[in-house]
Amino acid sequence: MKAFIIVVISLFLVTLNGICQSKNKVGIVFNLENIAAGMKYVNSQIQKIPKSRICFTPGISYERKITVKSSIELEFRFKQNQESYFVFPPRENQPFGANFYTQNYITQETVINLPICYKFNSKFINFSVGPTIEYLIEAKQLNVNPYSFILGKEAYPKKWSIGFIGKISKTINVYKSFSVEPSFFYNPILSYSKNYLGIALLMNYNF
């Protein structure tokens, strides 16, 4: 009976050790990304021509190991970007021949970006790929004056956007349960023809 109890306890301890052996990672991530978007008609008259710009984006990350070399990776990124340049049709008092005129309208977009990735891990390099979901919290017009054209809801008709992300990274163990992971990523957002291209640094705690 004692031998049976010892065997059961030993098996339990081995199983518990296997469960607790660094199968989870949580961390904070810092992204430096270039945001570019294509020209788009807001409606039949107004054309939106955004500028390419570089932004700093913080976030948090969770990774769950499912096999020796595979894991599922979730991220929560908070983005606050500025977008500008709209082309409007001519005003009634403009001279004949002036088909269009450009006004620099600056809007501040606040969005949440959620990548959900399958990650292949190796000693040399890691590969991640998966869909992304982006939610527009707010689009606020910044440079409003008495002569400004006030942008309505037609400028941002969709709250939810779908995209995908591809990422290459390298895991560097720093100390015991801590690691850092520099990466390079490409994240197109299909609904708004928007592209994120950048580098990131992830600081993980393994448990």
Side-chain angles (χ1 to χ4, degrees):
M1 187 65 179
K2 288 183 179 180
F4 176 75
I5 294 173
I6 291 172
V7 169
V8 171
I9 293 174
S10 299
L11 289 173
F12 174 76
L13 292 175
V14 169
T15 304
L16 184 63
N17 182 62
I19 292 173
C20 299
Q21 200 170 34
S22 299
K23 286 194 173 183
N24 300 280
K25 294 181 180 180
V26 292
I28 54 175
V29 60
F30 301 98
N31 304 282
L32 187 65
E33 57 192 13
N34 180 74
I35 306 171
M39 292 186 297
K40 184 177 181 180
Y41 280 93
V42 174
N43 55 36
S44 60
Q45 296 178 314
I46 302 174
Q47 188 180 20
K48 181 179 177 184
I49 309 179
K51 282 185 175 180
S52 175
R53 63 258 187 224
I54 295 176
C55 294
F56 172 76
T57 303
I60 56 176
S61 173
Y62 171 74
E63 183 179 334
R64 171 67 180 180
K65 196 172 184 180
I66 52 177
T67 68
V68 176
K69 292 189 175 182
S70 300
S71 58
I72 299 297
E73 188 178 41
L74 308 175
E75 282 190 30
F76 178 96
R77 300 178 178 182
F78 179 80
K79 301 173 183 280
Q80 200 166 56
N81 316 314
Q82 287 189 6
E83 185 173 284
S84 61
Y85 269 79
F86 287 79
V87 177
F88 296 86
R91 295 184 184 275
E92 296 179 0
N93 296 329
Q94 280 200 328
F96 178 78
N99 294 322
F100 292 97
Y101 70 98
T102 302
Q103 290 196 13
N104 185 8
Y105 283 87
I106 301 174
T107 58
Q108 182 172 276
E109 301 175 1
T110 304
V111 300
I112 293 173
N113 185 279
L114 303 170
I116 306 169
C117 295
Y118 165 79
K119 184 177 181 182
F120 177 78
N121 302 280
S122 72
K123 292 181 180 180
F124 304 103
I125 201 166
N126 309 319
F127 299 93
S128 302
V129 64
T132 59
I133 302 170
E134 188 165 281
Y135 178 71
L136 177 66
I137 299 174
E138 182 185 32
K140 183 179 180 182
Q141 189 170 338
L142 300 182
N143 58 339
V144 178
N145 59 62
Y147 305 100
S148 295
F149 179 89
I150 305 300
L151 301 174
K153 292 182 179 180
E154 72 275 5
Y156 295 91
K158 296 178 181 179
K159 285 285 189 179
W160 295 94
S161 303
I162 303 296
F164 69 90
I165 187 169
K167 183 167 61 173
I168 299 173
S169 61
K170 169 67 176 177
T171 302
I172 302 170
N173 294 318
V174 178
Y175 178 75
K176 291 185 178 179
S177 297
F178 294 93
S179 63
V180 296
E181 194 170 313
S183 64
F184 173 80
F185 66 89
Y186 174 61
N187 177 203
I189 303 297
L190 305 179
S191 304
Y192 279 110
S193 300
K194 186 189 299 181
N195 298 290
Y196 300 112
L197 179 68
I199 56 175
L201 181 64
L202 173 63
M203 295 182 287
N204 270 326
Y205 172 70
N206 313 321
F207 63 100

